[in-house]
Amino acid sequence: MNGKPVLEVENLSVCYATRRGLATAVDRVSFTIYENEVVGLVGESGCGKSTMANAIMRLLGDGAYVTGGSIRVMGQDVYRLKGDALRQFRWTQMAMVFQGAMNVLNPVKTVESQIVDTLLAHRPGMSKQQARARAEELFRLVRIDPKRLQSFPHELSGGMRQRVVIAIAVALEPKFIIMDEPTTALDVIVQKSILEQIMELRDRLGFSILFISHDFNLVQEISNRVGVMYAGRLVEMSKSASDLALTPRHPYTQGLIRAIPKLTSDDEDIQGIPGSPPSASNRPSGCAFHPRCPYAKPICRTVEPGMTTVAGNLIECHLSEDELRSMTYAER
Amino acid sequence: MPSDKPSLKVDDLVVRFPIRQRGEQRYITPVDHVSFEIKPGEVLSLVGESGSGKSTLGRALVRLIEPSKGSICIGNNDVTHIRRSTELRGLRKNIQMVFQDPFASLNPVRTIGQHLKILVRKHQGLRGRQLEQRVIQLLDTVGLYPGQEVMVKYPHEMSGGQRQRVAIARALTVNPSFLVADEPISMLDVSIRADILKLLKRLKSDFDLGYLYITHDLASAKYFGDKIMVMYGGQVMETGTSKEIVDNAVHPYTRLLLASTAGSPRRERVGETSLEAPDLFEGRRGCPFAHRCPFVSDVCRTEKPPLVEQVHGHAVACHHPVLGGGNRRHDEE
Amino acid sequence: MSQQPVIAAEAASDRKGNVAPPKPDRFQTVKLLLREPKAVVGFAIFGFFLAIAIFAPLLVTHDPTQQGIGMPGQPPSKTYWFGTNGFGSDVYSQWVYGTRTSMSIALQVGVIGTVISVIFGIYGGYKGGKVDAVLNWITQVMLVLPSYPLIIMISSYVPNAGAQMIVWVLGLTSWPAAARMKRSQAMTYRSRDFVLAAKLGGLSDFRIMATEIFPNMLSLVFNTFISMTSWGIFGEAFLRFLGIGSTLTPSWGNMLNGAQNGQALLQGMWWWFIPPGLSITLVILSLTLINYGLDAVSNPRLQPPPKLPKALRSQLRESGGQEGLA
């Protein structure tokens, strides 16, 4: 699988300024995404996954700061880009699909003019005619009737709007796209259909995806590898998304899997994780998950665990491989 | 299990709203001739997408909305059109509601204790220490303790799961026989959803509570529900026991839903599907699902399919049910 | 039942382990307000005038209503701190009692205007339907009636209008805009889940308005009270300046009226009109400052994010900054 790295995140930390000082939203996270890869990123609200996406896109709002580490996209350190170079880089090299399509699309412009504007802003040589033709082509690509190009965003259904946003994201053929909960607001059938669409586009155009979601099952289905974030840390990065049943996992991941009722299993035992995720300004000491972890040992309370490789998966936990393994099997 | 509690019967219920469109008054029917029954201690999962009318139906049951036709009966008591506040209060002692968003369903400026006390005082007439005891007991029932500490908290000091527990405790203050739970877990973090579902399940057996569990997620519908009713465009598409619906769905819409649910081993291509919302206008013809259905034929566009019982308790409204498909788990292998 | 003790589990996640039960902070808004510099300055100025109004009888040096106490038109001196006016009254004593009259009228106007706007706004907005239609119609009519001519007309029909008359006239014309604002806010609360839940709990409409909706609108209510009080100060001065109402009671408006009639400006008697004029300006300024402070506290989102210490900032890499996407 490993080809050229598309996204390299190294030791990235992002903090928010609050009245009481700095709150760490993303805490020393490292991972790499290679060509043509889909990497899923799972976590609950407030775990830092969206903050990280914004940091990669250089879209952090006021009061959020990158406090350490580096982000390279296609080998280029994005925090060394300035002004126009950054604007050019964004969208031609990396793009992002946000959750709320309505917030991204301008309500008073037709979707065609929005696509055309994006194209013209990044392709100086392109004529308006060519841009229009390209917009039509993009619409066919995401399977919307090109007649709809003249519509305003509110005239389209939620599913169609999201497709328009995807069309804009792929318009300049970036090599890397971040999708931040792209289908969360949609109904399940539309969601499935759009996911199929995304995978098809990827096969045709060849780009890598960082797919962010809180839905473990969904991420599992479409990703080559799955990362799990908890309290700002990347606590697990699997080697592959399949053979879920046999691989040892982080206790938190285990908990997430057990917390979801399954359509197929007749055994009805689901189990929540006690407590709730900690806030960014009040992280527990040691392993941040220890207060909610059923397997916590004394060491977990005081010492931060390091990343270890367990059967090819990267897991940040004090438990030994055997312990993780036995606990995984106990659940099956 | 025999019970002396009444059951909730909904017969041929229609809810219609006027809407103005381009200066013209038209009506939409988000609930269109829906019938079902919930016995005490039974959970009916109502599954549907946005625009299916599931929330409207839930609100009609607690009479936040007045139905236009049909009837809602609790036991022999017809509550469809009651208007007087005393009667409405009587109804709402029998049937209560838990809302979707725990951040919106609690008053931000009142403490948890205040939320519950005002209702306990009103309905049980308790005062002073007894009142406090009862509130603590209610909080304990939903797994929030120590009650003394919880009572003085404001909603913003609690997590989503804890707030939802408070909302459930509030619904329990009147000792209802039925709860309408409108997507009670969809706004919560994944790791705490399970505990809320388990809490609802425990209350069901502890208090012999009947539920209308409204959800868009078939997996949780199956986990919690004894029966599942699938709605689309305001009409019932398919209804049956949970196992039957998940294993032997015959309606094309249910099957599409199953195929689209993440984690389903029967994930298959959904492919092209219309992205338009269903037409809810009054006077529409045919099956509401026709515009998306892969098996659509002319009759689907003109004639509304009746809800017909296939096997015991399993009813389908479709001109072309996918019969003999059986357990769809097998046909892939 | 293996339900996890939820609160206990969360307390355990606290680093310190044992946590004392948190005390609810009912006065948090007030505390925050007292930390807001604008509000503090506002409260200080307003408090100064309020103190003068309350302790007026102890502060005067002469009888404020008596004319010819000293020579007319004397500049400030040791005997007459603010000098004497064209009729030989002591300006300082007049100003002290004028403060009392003006402040009391203003506060009463504030109360009346706030109460009416709350009743019309919340009741209409929450109830909807016919009740709302009627209340809203009245509000709209009051809103479009030009209030100054109306006030002048009413006041001039009532001969010898005293302070009480002015209070009612100003109070009854002050509320429509505020009521409309409350109505629109109450309307958004009407369909909120927590209001629906209270309804399902069997609470009466009055209880819902009083315990669910009103407390959520407190900052708006306070805001209204402040604007109405401000309006009372200004309105009183305006009416008296035009010579409406009894001119015998000392008040800021009457002092200005007297100064105008006595041609204080022409004769260079600045001590006659400066004290009341400056007072009116200062009180209205103080109320505006309090309102700004309140706004800052009740809408923390409008505030810029907290600044980091300089030392820390220099270590950080630049924040991304929200640049356009296109």
Side-chain angles (χ1 to χ4, degrees):
Chain A
M1 181 91 222
N2 291 14
K4 234 172 68 192
V6 170
L7 169 75
E8 296 156 276
V9 175
E10 241 177 78
N11 242 332
L12 178 72
S13 295
V14 183
C15 291
Y16 283 99
T18 68
R19 280 177 204 284
R20 267 168 275 151
L22 284 182
T24 311
V26 177
D27 191 7
R28 288 159 290 154
V29 168
S30 306
F31 65 97
T32 306
I33 297 180
Y34 297 96
E35 271 181 324
N36 275 323
E37 217 185 5
V38 181
V39 172
L41 192 62
V42 188
E44 296 178 277
S45 59
C47 72
K49 53 192 196 304
S50 291
T51 304
M52 187 162 76
N54 289 337
I56 296 171
M57 286 299 285
R58 288 280 304 269
L59 288 173
L60 287 176
D62 284 351
Y65 302 86
V66 172
T67 50
S70 67
I71 301 168
R72 281 192 300 280
V73 175
M74 310 296 294
Q76 166 72 51
D77 186 334
V78 292
Y79 278 83
R80 293 202 187 284
L81 291 167
K82 290 232 156 59
D84 262 356
L86 173 64
R87 269 190 291 279
Q88 280 303 321
F89 192 77
R90 216 158 34 202
W91 242 244
T92 52
Q93 301 294 322
M94 58 180 182
M96 183 157 170
V97 175
F98 298 87
Q99 176 173 352
M102 211 51 192
N103 298 333
V104 182
L105 297 174
N106 185 340
V108 296
K109 283 164 79 180
T110 63
V111 287
E112 181 184 48
S113 67
Q114 300 189 45
I115 299 178
V116 167
D117 284 354
T118 311
L119 286 167
L120 293 180
H122 291 94
R123 293 278 148 85
M126 204 176 227
S127 74
K128 211 155 189 183
Q129 224 48 41
Q130 287 170 308
R132 288 230 177 87
R134 174 79 175 132
E136 219 166 276
E137 191 185 322
L138 285 167
F139 256 48
R140 274 195 214 99
L141 203 61
V142 293
R143 289 205 227 102
I144 309 178
D145 187 346
K147 280 182 211 143
R148 293 286 200 150
L149 276 166
Q150 298 308 323
S151 316
F152 288 95
H154 69 267
E155 295 170 329
L156 301 173
S157 68
M160 275 195 225
R161 280 200 292 267
Q162 203 59 1
R163 286 186 181 203
V164 171
V165 173
I166 292 170
I168 295 176
V170 300
L172 296 147
E173 303 185 347
K175 284 287 158 229
F176 169 58
I177 302 182
I178 298 178
M179 302 200 171
D180 188 0
E181 310 248 8
T183 59
T184 302
L186 304 173
D187 284 323
V188 274
I189 296 176
V190 177
Q191 173 176 326
K192 176 79 201 297
S193 146
I194 286 185
L195 286 178
E196 284 171 4
Q197 177 100 66
I198 291 172
M199 299 324 275
E200 242 178 69
L201 282 174
R202 188 190 68 122
D203 291 345
R204 274 174 71 170
L205 306 173
F207 48 81
S208 307
I209 302 176
L210 176 63
F211 192 97
I212 297 173
S213 174
H214 65 276
D215 187 338
F216 200 88
N217 283 328
L218 193 87
V219 166
Q220 195 81 29
E221 267 186 18
I222 65 160
S223 311
N224 303 111
R225 288 185 294 145
V226 179
V228 179
M229 274 187 89
Y230 184 79
R233 299 281 295 164
L234 187 68
V235 295
E236 176 180 312
M237 180 60 96
S238 68
K239 150 182 83 171
S240 65
S242 53
D243 61 307
L244 166 75
L246 301 169
T247 12
R249 311 216 77 142
H250 190 280
Y252 174 61
T253 317
Q254 279 292 332
L256 281 184
I257 296 170
R258 248 179 301 151
I260 311 164
K262 297 192 187 37
L263 203 50
T264 44
S265 72
D266 287 326
D267 102 69
E268 300 263 285
D269 194 35
I270 56 169
Q271 198 91 55
I273 306 175
S276 9
S279 71
S281 54
N282 189 22
R283 295 271 157 79
S285 58
C287 168
F289 186 58
H290 85 257
R292 304 175 74 190
C293 181
Y295 310 99
K297 303 193 276 194
I299 188 178
C300 303
R301 237 165 273 152
T302 49
V303 182
E304 223 174 74
M307 268 287 185
T308 46
T309 310
V310 178
N313 295 336
L314 288 167
I315 292 178
E316 198 178 70
C317 184
H318 282 301
L319 297 176
S320 69
E321 179 165 348
D322 287 342
E323 284 170 311
L324 286 171
R325 230 177 245 291
S326 61
M327 142 196 144
T328 309
Y329 288 129
E331 300 306 332
R332 296 291 129 195
Chain B
M1 183 175 57
S3 169
D4 52 342
K5 283 191 175 177
S7 54
L8 174 69
K9 255 191 212 135
V10 170
D11 196 35
D12 219 27
L13 198 72
V14 177
V15 176
R16 63 204 275 270
F17 291 128
I19 60 163
R20 290 196 78 77
Q21 205 184 40
R22 295 187 188 101
E24 213 184 321
Q25 177 114 327
R26 295 181 77 184
Y27 284 89
I28 53 166
T29 49
V31 178
D32 194 0
H33 299 281
V34 172
S35 308
F36 59 88
E37 180 180 358
I38 305 176
K39 296 194 181 73
E42 188 183 65
V43 179
L44 175 65
S45 294
L46 175 54
V47 180
E49 299 178 66
S50 52
S52 64
K54 57 189 197 302
S55 290
T56 311
L57 178 57
R59 279 165 194 238
L61 287 193
V62 292
R63 282 300 315 280
L64 285 172
I65 294 170
E66 187 172 344
S68 319
K69 274 185 228 152
S71 70
I72 304 169
C73 295
I74 296 181
N76 294 322
N77 195 1
D78 188 330
V79 298
T80 325
H81 297 292
I82 54 172
R83 281 259 171 78
R84 260 183 293 148
S85 54
T86 46
E87 286 176 320
L88 281 172
R89 230 165 267 162
L91 162 71
R92 287 160 186 172
K93 275 183 193 170
N94 268 314
I95 177 160
Q96 275 288 328
M97 179 155 175
V98 176
F99 293 87
Q100 175 177 17
D101 182 357
F103 291 86
S105 70
L106 299 181
N107 191 340
V109 300
R110 312 194 73 219
T111 63
I112 305 310
Q114 286 173 329
H115 272 95
L116 298 178
K117 275 180 187 163
I118 192 170
L119 296 182
V120 174
R121 207 183 291 135
K122 178 160 186 81
H123 293 286
Q124 269 111 45
L126 298 178
R127 296 284 184 276
R129 256 204 85 60
Q130 279 179 308
L131 174 65
E132 195 133 302
Q133 286 299 325
R134 170 71 181 143
V135 169
I136 290 174
Q137 185 203 337
L138 273 168
L139 288 170
D140 193 69
T141 311
V142 296
L144 286 174
Y145 45 89
Q148 292 284 10
E149 268 174 43
V150 181
M151 266 199 302
V152 297
K153 287 196 178 222
Y154 282 93
H156 67 86
E157 297 173 287
M158 308 186 88
S159 67
Q162 293 173 344
R163 286 162 173 239
Q164 199 58 297
R165 285 171 195 264
V166 173
I168 293 167
R170 175 176 56 192
L172 293 178
T173 48
V174 296
N175 286 319
S177 321
F178 296 98
L179 271 188
V180 174
D182 189 357
E183 306 236 23
I185 59 168
S186 68
M187 304 276 281
L188 303 177
D189 271 326
V190 179
S191 68
I192 43 190
R193 287 182 185 177
D195 284 333
I196 298 293
L197 268 187
K198 285 172 84 169
L199 168 66
L200 291 175
K201 215 170 186 177
R202 176 166 61 83
L203 295 175
K204 164 183 131 166
S205 49
D206 283 5
F207 298 105
D208 208 17
L209 264 178
Y211 285 89
L212 180 70
Y213 173 62
I214 300 172
T215 181
H216 62 270
D217 171 32
L218 265 170
S220 77
K222 186 201 170 207
Y223 169 78
F224 186 38
D226 301 303
K227 290 192 214 152
I228 291 179
M229 182 164 90
V230 181
M231 271 178 84
Y232 188 83
Q235 296 177 9
V236 177
M237 297 286 106
E238 186 165 16
T239 173
T241 62
S242 298
K243 203 170 156 37
E244 183 75 12
I245 294 290
V246 171
D247 291 347
N248 297 316
V250 296
H251 196 288
Y253 175 60
T254 316
R255 296 176 67 117
L256 197 57
L257 266 184
L258 282 164
S260 303
T261 302
S264 151
R266 316 227 347 80
R267 283 282 267 195
E268 50 197 43
R269 275 192 62 82
V270 166
E272 274 313 275
T273 156
S274 163
L275 297 173
E276 304 287 348
D279 171 19
L280 290 175
F281 283 106
E282 198 174 45
R284 63 185 166 177
R285 288 158 70 208
C287 172
F289 186 56
H291 69 123
R292 277 185 159 181
C293 185
F295 307 111
V296 64
S297 69
D298 287 344
V299 63
C300 302
R301 297 206 178 89
T302 52
E303 230 169 273
K304 179 184 166 179
L307 191 65
V308 180
E309 188 158 322
Q310 302 278 327
V311 236
H312 180 66
H314 184 177
V316 181
C318 183
H319 291 299
H320 311 287
V322 192
L323 294 173
N327 188 334
R328 301 180 81 219
R329 246 173 264 174
H330 299 305
D331 55 20
E332 204 174 57
E333 285 154 16
Chain C
M1 295 301 123
S2 61
Q3 280 292 328
Q4 279 284 341
V6 174
I7 290 291
E10 207 135 287
S13 76
D14 198 286
R15 225 174 290 197
K16 283 160 246 148
N18 250 344
V19 273
K23 286 213 179 75
D25 200 349
R26 281 163 188 279
F27 303 106
Q28 204 193 14
T29 318
V30 181
K31 276 185 194 158
L32 283 174
L33 202 56
L34 292 179
R35 243 180 272 158
E36 191 66 36
K38 285 182 209 135
V40 172
V41 173
F43 278 124
I45 299 176
F46 193 78
F48 170 73
F49 283 101
L50 200 61
I52 289 181
I54 292 169
F55 299 112
L58 306 175
L59 297 172
V60 287
T61 51
H62 298 85
D63 180 351
T65 50
Q66 196 171 343
Q67 302 187 343
I69 287 181
M71 286 289 287
Q74 284 185 61
S77 65
K78 272 195 182 146
T79 338
Y80 309 112
W81 295 352
F82 289 180
T84 60
N85 66 13
F87 308 104
S89 306
D90 177 35
V91 174
Y92 167 71
S93 301
Q94 279 206 336
W95 172 75
V96 170
Y97 262 90
T99 304
R100 193 184 181 118
T101 318
S102 295
M103 291 291 277
S104 113
I105 288 178
L107 289 173
Q108 290 179 64
V109 169
V111 171
I112 294 173
T114 307
V115 168
I116 300 178
S117 74
V118 164
I119 292 173
F120 269 59
I122 296 187
Y123 197 72
Y126 172 70
K127 279 295 242 191
K130 279 181 197 144
V131 181
D132 181 40
V134 172
L135 293 182
N136 194 34
W137 183 79
I138 298 173
T139 312
Q140 302 282 12
V141 168
M142 290 299 291
L143 202 60
V144 293
L145 282 182
S147 52
Y148 292 117
L150 182 75
I151 293 168
I152 295 168
M153 204 184 72
I154 297 175
S155 324
S156 48
Y157 266 99
V158 184
N160 256 347
Q164 222 43 47
M165 183 62 218
I166 287 185
V167 164
W168 284 107
V169 168
L170 290 175
L172 291 175
T173 49
S174 63
W175 56 272
R180 224 164 60 140
M181 213 148 67
K182 290 196 188 56
R183 172 172 174 263
S184 61
Q185 207 181 40
M187 277 168 80
T188 68
Y189 281 117
R190 179 170 58 179
S191 53
R192 295 272 185 100
D193 284 353
F194 68 81
V195 171
L196 295 182
K199 213 173 183 178
L200 291 183
L203 296 187
S204 66
D205 283 345
F206 179 75
R207 285 300 273 289
I208 291 177
M209 283 184 266
T211 64
E212 306 291 331
I213 297 179
F214 180 73
N216 276 294
M217 292 173 57
L218 267 182
S219 74
L220 185 60
V221 171
F222 192 57
N223 186 301
T224 304
F225 176 71
I226 287 170
S227 317
M228 300 286 104
T229 307
S230 198
W231 161 252
I233 292 276
F234 178 77
E236 190 272 340
F238 171 76
L239 286 181
R240 306 274 208 193
F241 184 72
L242 292 182
I244 290 164
S246 153
T247 48
L248 295 175
T249 1
S251 82
W252 291 343
N254 270 341
M255 288 172 78
L256 286 179
N257 179 312
Q260 165 77 7
N261 291 340
Q263 298 186 321
L265 202 61
L266 281 180
Q267 299 179 26
M269 292 195 284
W270 51 269
W271 54 89
W272 196 355
F273 57 85
I274 290 281
L278 193 63
S279 305
I280 291 168
T281 315
L282 280 177
V283 171
I284 291 178
L285 175 75
S286 74
L287 291 168
T288 312
L289 284 175
I290 295 174
N291 247 352
Y292 281 157
L294 190 71
D295 215 37
V297 170
S298 55
N299 298 321
R301 271 158 210 270
L302 297 180
Q303 300 304 300
K307 280 260 152 55
L308 290 179
K310 265 245 169 69
L312 201 51
R313 222 176 322 160
S314 61
Q315 294 169 21
L316 301 175
R317 311 190 60 169
E318 57 171 314
S319 80
Q322 292 271 19
E323 290 170 51
L325 279 179

